[in-house]
Amino acid sequence: IDQARGQAIPATTTVMALAAAVQETRRVLMRYESAKGELTERLVDPYGLVHMVSRWYAPGYCHLRADLRLFRLDRVRGVDLLDGTFERPVAFDPLAFVQDALAAAPSAWHIEALLQTSLEEARCVVPLHEATLEPVAEGVVIRLNVECLDEAARYLIQLGCPFLVRQPEELRGVLRGLAAEIAQAAAPVGVS
């Protein structure tokens, strides 16, 4: 767990094994822990790796569920590369799949904020795969889907430009909490 941000980070071996499987179109045997803590073994054809707002995802075909699925790499408990290969669908877009899956998830947060900067500056700090950017008269509207509001708050702050949250209202509360933590940390020693 990343103690600074309170989130699980996938094992380097997991990321490397899945990257190799994607590159070589090799099937994997994955031990995966669901959000509810249930552990399953799955044969998976990994179609890509996507990093979005502090999380790694692997979209692919799950033979256990006989359907396309999205796997969070921090929930992968083990990966074995198998000899079997697969054919990745030609038109499959891993990034679009991850964005659509997160947008459809009942626990996902749909973030919209106004960045007070130019489109050119926004493109320098926001990777194309992480969010959509729309220029407007007041700046640039950023839209993204996340699983955790704390991650969204920290993500927006690290962009390094002034911003205004449009939605959700709950994100404003998370930002106020972070501001209070920062103010407390900056207080002189012995002052509370």
Side-chain angles (χ1 to χ4, degrees), residues 111-126:
I111 308 299
E112 184 175 308
L114 175 67
L115 304 179
Q116 296 173 330
T117 189
S118 69
L119 181 60
E120 293 73 28
E121 289 295 320
R123 283 187 176 147
C124 288
V125 295
V126 178

Side-chain angles (χ1 to χ4, degrees), residues 114-192:
L114 175 67
L115 304 179
Q116 296 173 330
T117 189
S118 69
L119 181 60
E120 293 73 28
E121 289 295 320
R123 283 187 176 147
C124 288
V125 295
V126 178
L128 290 173
H129 66 274
E130 291 193 342
T132 61
L133 299 172
E134 176 190 347
V136 294
E138 306 87 4
V140 178
V141 174
I142 183 171
R143 293 183 184 89
L144 62 153
N145 298 311
V146 298
E147 295 181 81
C148 174
L149 286 179
D150 184 69
E151 289 174 7
R154 293 172 189 274
Y155 179 82
L156 290 169
I157 291 167
Q158 66 89 26
L159 293 179
C161 64
F163 65 90
L164 299 170
V165 173
R166 287 187 168 180
Q167 67 172 341
E169 178 62 36
E170 293 88 345
L171 181 55
R172 291 185 184 101
V174 171
L175 286 162
R176 283 191 289 275
L178 284 173
E181 287 178 31
I182 292 166
Q184 181 64 31
V189 177
V191 178
S192 54

